[in-house]
């Protein structure tokens, strides 16, 4: 059993200093209850430690990239060797080639790869590529889907206005009206509406952008198949955002699980072994637009960046992919996720707390809801207060998670899963006044 976390003077002082220098004192887009916010000092395997000496089981995994856990020995060794030999050339390297072969080989139908520095940048370039390739300007995304920070996708991620579809609600100030006019929004997991809106807008629509695990809700097979079929029939590109699901749901990404072949795939997170990276992959036919030799042909799309495919990220990424590729990796990840979700389900049933568990691959997300969740609007019917209280109680007991949402790594053991389940039960009992 982990010790109860005691927040000390050091993290408090550092938090106050950070608040002076960083907007809100944080780096992420959501806030966390101030009483449990802390400053981490280091991580190893499935654990993190903060500057006050508290230990946590980590289920955030650096917002998902650390699928092998922290400081994995293979990745760390490769990085040490790399650091001694230069980290940035803005030129192709032998290690980039090895990494590229591995990534392109994993994604069916992919022939070329375009590296970027982050997932957001890859989304931005994929959308520009779709416009350049099709000669059309609009994109369709789904309500509730987060695809990073680029303007074109910063709509209807957490909308509050319940606008009629396909009207987009900006997530933030600062987005030009012209961008808003080029974005359409559809409800997730609704094949009928998706088909209708794609057909109606086919003359202007460059691409449909879909994350197959939007809000951690797995895309329904019929929905994803419909999007694939109707985009193809109407000359619209189907872009699958596998930034979270790539190399996580399966070696070949969520698309191998669904048996669906998008026109372009966006990857990030697990791809870089913990160093910032992103990429898009696709067939020559489309990807050749990114070739600078085509500049004067009217078929060129610019997508360069200083740190794209840099030696550090591709070295860490290659080492991580070599480990992930070992037989049995995904079976173990799935087994741990099943164990956690079964445990949590039983605890909620025994305490008569309504819960819906969303699970796809090694991602487990428990919502305190008594109705099914299939899209953004149905996901709103949940007990947010209980969720927020659980986030605090779990953290106090040494479980670092996004509330009741958990990313499982290859190094989480069944003992840790059971320990986490016990902590979950104690936290829930405490909130319910049962202990
Ligand atoms: C589905 C999805 N796409 C794109 C992104 C953006 O990636 P990055 O944070 O590397 O820019 C994220 C980030 O969380 C994501 O979850």
């Amino acid at each position: 059993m982990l010790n109860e976390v005691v927040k000390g003077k050091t993290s408090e002082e550092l938090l106050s200093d950070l608040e002076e220098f960083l907007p809100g004192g944080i780096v992420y887009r959501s806030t966390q209850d101030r009483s449990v916010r802390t400053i981490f000092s280091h991580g190893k395997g499935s654990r993190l430690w903060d500057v006050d000496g508290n230990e946590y089981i980590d289920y955030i995994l650096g917002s998902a990239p650390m699928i092998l856990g922290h400081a994995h020995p293979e990745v760390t060794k490769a990085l040490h060797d790399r650091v001694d030999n230069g980290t940035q050339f803005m030129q192709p390297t032998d290690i980039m080639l090895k990494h590229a072969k591995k990534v392109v080989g994993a994604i069916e139908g992919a022939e070329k790869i375009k590296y970027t520095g982050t997932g957001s940048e890859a989304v931005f370039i994929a959308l520009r590529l779709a416009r350049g390739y099709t000669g059309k300007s609009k994109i369709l995304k789904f309500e509730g889907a987060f695809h990073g920070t680029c303007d074109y996708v910063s709509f209807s991620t957490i909308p509050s206005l319940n606008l009629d579809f396909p009207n987009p609600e900006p997530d933030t100030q600062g987005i030009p009206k012209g961008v808003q006019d080029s974005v359409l929004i559809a409800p997730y997991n609704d094949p009928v509406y998706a088909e209708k809106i794609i057909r109606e807008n086919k003359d202007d629509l460059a691409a449909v952008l879909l994350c197959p695990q939007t809000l951690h809700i797995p895309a329904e097979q019929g929905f994803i198949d419909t999007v694939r079929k109707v985009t193809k029939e109407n000359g619209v590109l189907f872009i699958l955002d596998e930034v979270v699901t790539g190399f996580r749901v399966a070696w070949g990404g969520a698309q191998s699980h669904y048996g669906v072949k998008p026109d372009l795939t966006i990857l990030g997170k697990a791809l870089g072994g913990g160093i910032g990276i992103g990429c898009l992959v696709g067939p020559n036919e489309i990807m050749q637009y990114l070739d600078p030799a085509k500049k004067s042909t009217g078929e060129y799309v610019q997508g360069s960046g200083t740190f794209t495919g840099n030696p550090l990220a591709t070295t860490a990424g290659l080492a991580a992919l070599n480990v992930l590729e070992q037989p049995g990796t995904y079976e173990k990840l799935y087994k741990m996720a099943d164990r956690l979700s079964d445990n949590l389900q039983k605890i909620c049933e025994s305490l008569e707390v309504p819960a819906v568990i969303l699970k796809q691959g090694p991602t487990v997300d428990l919502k305190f809801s008594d109705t099914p969740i299939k899209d953004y609007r149905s996901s709103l019917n949940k007990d947010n207060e209980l969720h927020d209280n659980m986030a605090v109680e779990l953290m106090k007991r040494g479980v670092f998670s996004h509330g009741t949402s958990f990313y499982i790594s290859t190094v989480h053991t069944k003992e840790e899963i059971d320990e986490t389940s016990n902590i979950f039960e104690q936290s829930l009992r405490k909130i319910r006044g049962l202990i």
Side-chain angles (χ1 to χ4, degrees):
M1 177 67 195
L2 293 167
N3 289 330
E4 182 123 340
V5 166
V6 182
K7 230 172 100 177
K9 193 162 168 275
T10 318
S11 68
E12 258 315 315
E13 280 170 359
L14 289 171
L15 279 167
S16 301
D17 283 357
L18 275 168
E19 277 157 2
E20 210 175 303
F21 290 101
L22 273 66
I26 56 171
V27 292
Y28 196 60
R29 77 195 147 103
S30 59
T31 51
Q32 189 187 21
D33 193 288
R34 184 67 166 74
S35 67
V36 286
R37 267 177 64 203
T38 190
I39 302 287
F40 289 106
S41 59
H42 61 289
K44 181 79 191 152
S46 58
R47 307 266 167 158
L48 288 176
W49 285 265
D50 70 14
V51 289
D52 302 319
N54 296 303
E55 184 176 342
Y56 303 81
I57 309 178
D58 180 22
Y59 292 99
I60 293 185
L61 305 181
S63 191
M66 310 313 295
I67 190 168
L68 301 180
H70 298 278
H72 189 283
E74 302 284 327
V75 179
T76 306
K77 180 180 177 314
L79 276 173
H80 277 300
D81 293 347
R82 183 68 257 164
V83 166
D84 287 340
N85 289 290
T87 56
Q88 166 65 7
F89 314 123
M90 205 179 143
Q91 293 294 321
T93 58
D94 57 339
I95 207 83
M96 179 197 281
L97 177 61
K98 285 186 190 155
H99 185 262
K101 279 186 181 168
K102 187 94 43 192
V103 176
V104 168
I107 303 296
E108 211 195 319
E111 291 172 311
K112 291 254 186 319
I113 180 166
K114 175 76 193 168
Y115 283 107
T116 62
T118 63
S120 296
E121 202 183 329
V123 168
F124 172 66
I125 291 168
L127 296 178
R128 180 188 278 176
L129 178 58
R131 289 194 186 92
Y133 176 75
T134 62
K136 300 189 270 181
S137 63
K138 291 192 176 173
I139 68 134
L140 173 70
K141 77 175 279 276
F142 295 93
E143 194 178 40
F146 179 72
H147 297 282
T149 43
C150 119
D151 278 357
Y152 293 92
V153 294
S154 298
F155 290 98
S156 302
T157 303
I158 330 170
S160 53
L161 300 177
N162 255 356
L163 297 177
D164 289 339
F165 297 112
N167 295 310
E169 180 183 329
D171 294 334
T172 162
Q173 297 300 311
I175 299 182
K177 176 78 171 58
V179 171
Q180 181 162 344
D181 292 342
S182 70
V183 176
L184 303 171
I185 304 294
Y188 183 66
N189 269 333
D190 183 341
V192 176
Y193 189 85
E195 173 156 9
K196 176 176 162 315
I197 197 78
I198 294 167
R199 289 198 192 287
E200 280 174 6
N201 289 276
K202 66 178 173 21
D203 295 338
D204 298 321
L205 195 58
V208 174
L209 178 65
L210 170 67
C211 166
Q213 205 182 84
T214 290
L215 295 164
H216 291 156
I217 307 163
E220 289 171 7
Q221 185 75 47
F223 171 63
I224 204 164
D225 287 345
T226 300
V227 172
R228 171 63 289 184
K229 178 170 164 288
V230 181
T231 46
K232 191 175 258 168
E233 286 170 1
N234 290 279
V236 175
L237 293 192
F238 175 26
I239 306 175
L240 199 64
D241 180 347
E242 294 233 47
V243 168
V244 170
T245 53
F247 296 104
R248 185 178 319 275
V249 168
W251 174 253
Q255 56 195 275
S256 66
H257 163 78
Y258 287 104
V260 70
K261 227 197 283 178
D263 297 304
L264 291 173
T265 299
I266 302 167
L267 296 159
K269 306 238 187 212
L271 190 69
I275 308 288
I277 198 168
C279 76
L280 53 144
V281 298
N284 278 327
E285 161 72 18
I286 305 171
M287 296 293 285
Q288 60 167 339
Y289 276 64
L290 294 161
D291 178 355
K294 301 196 93 189
K295 262 180 194 155
S296 56
T297 66
E299 293 189 345
Y300 173 59
V301 172
Q302 202 278 105
S304 77
T306 304
F307 294 106
T308 58
N310 70 74
L312 213 52
T314 46
T315 295
L318 182 64
L321 294 184
N322 283 337
V323 175
L324 280 172
E325 201 179 12
Q326 299 301 316
T329 300
Y330 290 91
E331 287 81 349
K332 181 177 175 229
L333 282 168
Y334 274 59
K335 225 169 154 176
M336 291 302 134
D338 286 346
R339 190 175 184 100
L340 181 63
S341 86
D342 289 350
N343 287 351
L344 302 190
Q345 181 95 52
K346 279 187 202 134
I347 293 164
C348 288
E349 276 167 15
S350 75
L351 297 179
E352 296 180 6
V353 176
V356 171
I357 297 188
L358 306 168
K359 179 158 71 71
Q360 188 179 48
T363 304
V364 176
D365 192 345
L366 183 143
K367 309 274 191 212
F368 294 109
S369 171
D370 53 7
T371 51
I373 295 176
K374 65 172 287 231
D375 57 14
Y376 174 74
R377 294 188 192 190
S378 56
S379 79
L380 296 177
N381 178 34
K382 58 182 186 297
D383 188 337
N384 288 323
E385 195 184 333
L386 179 53
H387 178 273
D388 292 350
N389 288 337
M390 280 297 282
V392 171
E393 293 301 325
L394 288 170
M395 184 84 180
K396 275 190 195 162
R397 291 167 174 77
V399 169
F400 184 54
S401 53
H402 275 310
T404 49
S405 169
F406 305 84
Y407 286 126
I408 313 264
S409 75
T410 55
V411 290
H412 282 111
T413 63
K414 66 180 183 351
E415 289 74 23
E416 282 175 318
I417 297 289
D418 291 348
E419 187 175 6
T420 303
S421 308
N422 286 337
I423 291 173
F424 177 93
E425 178 166 3
Q426 283 171 27
S427 302
L428 197 49
R429 283 181 178 276
K430 168 91 195 312
I431 293 166
R432 285 288 151 117
L434 300 171
I435 46 173

